[in-house]
Amino acid sequence: MYIGFILSASIIKKKEYIQIICKIIIFSALFITIAPNYNPNFSYINYINVFHNTNHYGYFLMISTILSGFMFVKNTGIKKIIYLLIYIFLIYMLIYNDTFGCYLSLLIVLIFSLIYSIVKKYKIVNIIILIVTFLLTSFIVSFTNIEIGGKIILQDTQKMVYNNFSVFSHDIKTIVNEESDLDTIGTGRGLLWKTAWNYTLEHPLIGGGMECLNEYFKTHNAGYNDRPHNIILQFTSFIGIPGAIIYIILIGYLAIINLKNLNKDTTYFMVYVSAMCYFISSNFGNSMYYTSPYFMILLGFLISMQFTNSKET
């Protein structure tokens, strides 16, 4: 199924069609974010929405946020303002969603974008606006009460970012000091990572097959999970270490070979950083059938863009 997404996206050569698909993702995210306010049939608890899982909804929000940000970079006039407002709103919802891996991945990608734009002297002011907007929105949402008509409307999200960074710094300290509670890092992901690696060592060459970890996690006190919340460990467990190495090489190749094309068009830049953002978050998140396809589509676009640029040169 995933190969089908990649191949289908890779045959799309026109930038205009790629932009249309990206816009569909953005406005779909906007719709399902606003809809719960008007339709009680949508799930609103902890803002899990139609995905019925906070983290999975976070991945979708993360991709749509970075896409809307770079649509702001690409456009001019009223469209530029509209995409900036969407970008701000989706940042707020990403913070409210409270999936810190997605928030951190987005921050890393924005920093990368700034460094690249400075080195290449490409869209520097626009990228700075994206970062300043991201940080300012985070500050307002996390540390400020906004009151309208005597009602505090941002109370639920107050200190979310601050608290998440506090937990993150504690996890880093735990790893550096090699403390005994490594299993607790990443809100319990440490145990999943260790258990998945132990499974990999038992089946190093070809893995245990698709969806092989459910029973293993149960019998090794890793809870009722079927994924290790790390895409690399997922591949080492499912298809073995050689298969995971091939996956890493392919992703690395696409990342390196497309790097030189980012300043040719904002569409290339947008697709590249969106794929990077998902890949970073996938090392902390649960890769599932209804979130991974977006990444596969972006990989297909990267293949298409590389092929198109190779023909032009």
Side-chain angles (χ1 to χ4, degrees):
M1 181 180 73
Y2 291 158
I3 294 177
F5 281 111
I6 293 175
L7 293 178
S8 297
S10 67
I11 64 175
I12 300 176
K13 307 301 180 185
K14 290 187 177 182
K15 292 179 291 185
E16 292 79 6
Y17 295 157
I18 294 176
Q19 292 168 24
I20 289 173
I21 293 174
C22 291
K23 290 175 183 177
I24 291 173
I25 295 174
I26 293 170
F27 285 99
S28 296
L30 189 62
F31 171 74
I32 66 172
T33 300
I34 296 174
N37 293 292
Y38 303 99
N39 188 343
N41 294 323
F42 281 82
S43 181
Y44 200 77
I45 300 173
N46 292 329
Y47 226 89
I48 60 177
N49 212 290
V50 294
F51 291 89
H52 297 286
N53 182 284
T54 304
N55 297 144
H56 301 166
Y57 181 40
Y59 309 144
F60 185 59
L61 277 172
M62 173 191 66
I63 291 174
S64 56
T65 301
I66 193 68
L67 287 175
S68 63
F70 274 85
M71 278 296 183
F72 157 78
V73 174
K74 182 173 183 60
N75 283 278
T76 58
I78 187 64
K79 289 183 179 180
K80 196 176 191 70
I81 297 173
I82 291 173
Y83 281 114
L84 180 62
L85 293 175
I86 294 174
Y87 175 67
I88 293 171
F89 179 68
L90 291 177
I91 290 172
Y92 164 67
M93 291 314 308
L94 184 62
I95 296 171
Y96 188 27
N97 173 264
D98 202 23
T99 301
F100 186 62
C102 295
Y103 178 90
L104 192 60
S105 300
L106 185 57
L107 178 60
I108 292 171
V109 164
L110 288 173
I111 293 172
F112 163 82
S113 301
L114 178 61
I115 295 172
Y116 184 90
S117 66
I118 292 173
V119 171
K120 293 292 186 178
K121 296 180 175 60
Y122 180 73
K123 304 286 187 178
I124 298 175
V125 174
N126 284 281
I127 301 298
I128 290 175
I129 291 174
L130 287 185
I131 292 181
V132 170
T133 302
F134 179 82
L135 296 176
L136 188 59
T137 304
S138 299
F139 177 82
I140 293 173
V141 168
S142 300
F143 297 101
T144 306
N145 285 334
I146 294 182
E147 186 174 320
I148 297 179
K151 180 181 178 181
I152 298 174
I153 63 171
L154 290 184
Q155 192 171 26
D156 289 342
T157 54
Q158 191 177 20
K159 296 186 177 179
M160 273 187 177
V161 175
Y162 174 80
N163 291 337
N164 281 325
F165 270 110
S166 297
V167 173
F168 180 65
S169 63
H170 177 268
D171 288 346
I172 297 298
K173 180 181 177 182
T174 300
I175 295 171
V176 171
N177 295 334
E178 298 182 357
E179 297 177 7
S180 58
D181 57 344
L182 284 172
D183 289 354
T184 65
I185 64 172
T187 58
R189 284 167 171 78
L191 176 60
L192 296 178
W193 296 339
K194 182 181 73 175
T195 308
W197 179 244
N198 289 338
Y199 185 89
T200 297
L201 296 178
E202 295 178 14
H203 308 81
L205 294 180
I206 60 173
M210 295 295 109
E211 311 300 337
C212 61
L213 290 174
N214 197 348
E215 289 300 322
Y216 190 82
F217 278 155
K218 289 179 184 178
T219 57
H220 288 76
N221 301 315
Y224 291 90
N225 294 283
D226 56 4
R227 304 295 171 94
H229 287 72
N230 180 288
I231 192 65
I232 305 301
L233 288 174
Q234 183 172 313
F235 276 111
T236 60
S237 302
F238 287 9
I239 59 177
I241 294 175
I245 291 174
I246 292 173
Y247 173 78
I248 294 170
I249 290 173
L250 290 175
I251 296 297
Y253 173 78
L254 283 175
I256 294 171
I257 202 70
N258 278 284
L259 194 59
K260 64 179 183 294
N261 298 324
L262 302 190
N263 59 340
K264 291 184 177 180
D265 190 277
T266 309
T267 303
Y268 300 149
F269 207 155
M270 175 175 63
V271 171
Y272 186 93
V273 295
S274 299
M276 177 192 291
C277 201
Y278 184 91
F279 179 74
I280 294 172
S281 71
S282 70
N283 288 282
F284 309 97
N286 191 350
S287 179
M288 293 290 284
Y289 61 91
Y290 48 62
T291 52
S292 296
Y294 298 105
F295 179 53
M296 302 305 164
I297 291 170
L298 293 170
L299 289 183
F301 288 160
L302 289 178
I303 294 172
S304 171
M305 291 188 306
Q306 174 55 31
F307 178 77
T308 301
N309 280 288
S310 298
K311 288 182 66 176
E312 290 176 354
T313 55

